[in-house]
Amino acid sequence: MISNRKERKDMKSDVEELMPRLLPLESCDTEEYNSNEPPRNPQEYLRQVQREASLCPDVVVAQIDPKKLKKKQSVNVSITGCLAAPQGFSPSLKWQQQQVSRFSEVRQSVNKHRQHWKSQFLDDNVVMPKSEDEDGWKRFCLGENVCLDIQLKEEDKVNPGLDYVKTGFPPFLSIVSKLNQSTISAVLEYLMNWFEERDFVAQLGRWFYALLACLEKPLLPEAHSLIRQLARRCSAVRANLVTDTELL
């Protein structure tokens, strides 16, 4: 304890010795200089700065009330502008809680196994586009059939095969684990741009879910904006749905 005090005293004396060299001040008559009044010239200003610095403690400890800290911090995203669900399409509270719980489990699983899957080699046919290639990512995620609006035959719909170039690559962990946060936000934006003008497809839902599960906290402002945009777009699609009774 004594040695620590001595070290702090020595450090303070060293600072005091250096300050005149860094900020040389001319001698000032104590009667003419009043520290309670605003400085009248640069010399008095520097002298006041030195005086205030000498009064500051070496160590300052913030007083924090642990009771005010939440053990589990959640991210709240405003969904202003979302349309209400039509009659018969409003999910129950229990269903919503189940989805939130399941999504939380998926996020934890992704974080746990991300490093393992990130180190895995991709198949030769998996060629990931560059981060700035919007059209490339749309084709990669959704497939050429969707992006080029190719109408499939009935037999192709029943047995589409595994031609991922045509049907789109699923969001495998070996793929999404290789995406950094900026690329994840970029791909989300590309798919949102597509969704703003097109109908919903299954590939789109899989990729939205996977990319959202890969977002890390704290969320970037871009991610907040994209989530709000996605919520508004989904609510607009849901608002146009009709029940079976309305079709009759």
Side-chain angles (χ1 to χ4, degrees):
M1 179 66 70
I2 297 177
S3 61
N4 292 337
R5 291 179 179 176
K6 183 179 180 181
E7 290 178 0
R8 289 198 297 269
K9 184 177 180 181
D10 294 339
M11 291 175 61
K12 187 173 183 179
S13 62
D14 293 340
V15 173
E16 291 175 348
E17 291 180 1
L18 288 174
M19 287 183 70
R21 302 175 189 174
L22 297 174
L23 300 173
L25 297 176
E26 298 178 358
S27 60
C28 178
D29 191 348
T30 55
E31 295 181 359
E32 296 180 359
Y33 173 67
N34 188 348
S35 61
N36 296 325
E37 295 180 358
R40 296 171 295 181
N41 53 56
Q43 295 294 329
E44 290 187 359
Y45 171 76
L46 294 176
R47 187 175 297 280
Q48 182 173 335
V49 171
Q50 287 187 350
R51 180 177 179 277
E52 292 177 354
S54 65
L55 298 177
C56 294
D58 296 336
V59 179
V60 179
V61 180
Q63 300 297 327
I64 300 176
D65 186 1
K67 297 180 180 180
K68 295 182 179 181
L69 299 178
K70 297 180 179 180
K71 295 182 179 180
K72 295 183 179 180
Q73 298 184 3
S74 59
V75 177
N76 296 320
V77 178
S78 173
I79 55 174
T80 304
C82 290
L83 302 177
Q87 185 177 2
F89 289 97
S90 180
S92 65
L93 178 60
K94 180 179 180 180
W95 184 89
Q96 295 179 58
Q97 292 173 340
Q98 290 175 344
Q99 302 312 308
V100 171
S101 176
R102 175 56 180 161
F103 182 74
S104 178
E105 293 175 359
V106 171
R107 289 192 74 258
Q108 293 177 10
S109 178
V110 170
N111 291 331
K112 180 179 179 180
H113 301 289
R114 178 174 293 175
Q115 290 300 323
H116 167 75
W117 285 105
K118 186 177 181 180
S119 62
Q120 301 301 308
F121 292 100
L122 298 175
D123 294 338
D124 295 336
N125 66 323
V126 183
V127 180
M128 298 174 62
K130 295 182 179 179
S131 179
E132 64 276 8
D133 186 2
E134 180 170 354
D135 290 336
W137 275 107
K138 289 177 181 178
R139 292 195 181 194
F140 183 86
C141 300
L142 307 178
E144 292 184 350
N145 292 341
V146 172
C147 291
L148 301 179
D149 197 18
I150 298 176
Q151 300 297 325
L152 298 179
K153 299 178 181 179
E154 290 299 326
E155 55 269 22
D156 294 332
K157 294 180 180 180
V158 176
N159 186 19
L162 293 177
D163 190 349
Y164 290 139
V165 174
K166 294 183 178 180
T167 62
F169 286 89
F172 295 126
L173 275 175
S174 57
I175 294 178
V176 296
S177 296
K178 289 180 168 56
L179 306 180
N180 56 35
Q181 291 299 295
S182 60
T183 303
I184 291 174
S185 295
V187 177
L188 270 173
E189 182 177 1
Y190 300 153
L191 297 180
M192 269 306 308
N193 293 340
W194 190 93
F195 189 32
E196 288 286 0
E197 302 176 355
R198 306 287 189 91
D199 294 331
F200 180 83
V201 293
Q203 298 96 312
L204 193 63
R206 287 192 289 266
W207 271 96
F208 275 144
Y209 194 93
L211 293 173
L212 292 175
C214 291
L215 286 175
E216 297 177 355
K217 297 179 181 179
L219 296 180
L220 298 174
E222 295 82 0
H224 278 279
S225 177
L226 288 170
I227 293 175
R228 288 193 295 266
Q229 185 180 358
L230 176 59
R232 288 192 294 266
R233 174 57 179 155
C234 289
S235 71
V237 173
R238 184 181 60 182
N240 291 326
L241 298 176
V242 293
T243 61
D244 293 340
T245 56
E246 293 175 333
L247 293 175
L248 298 177

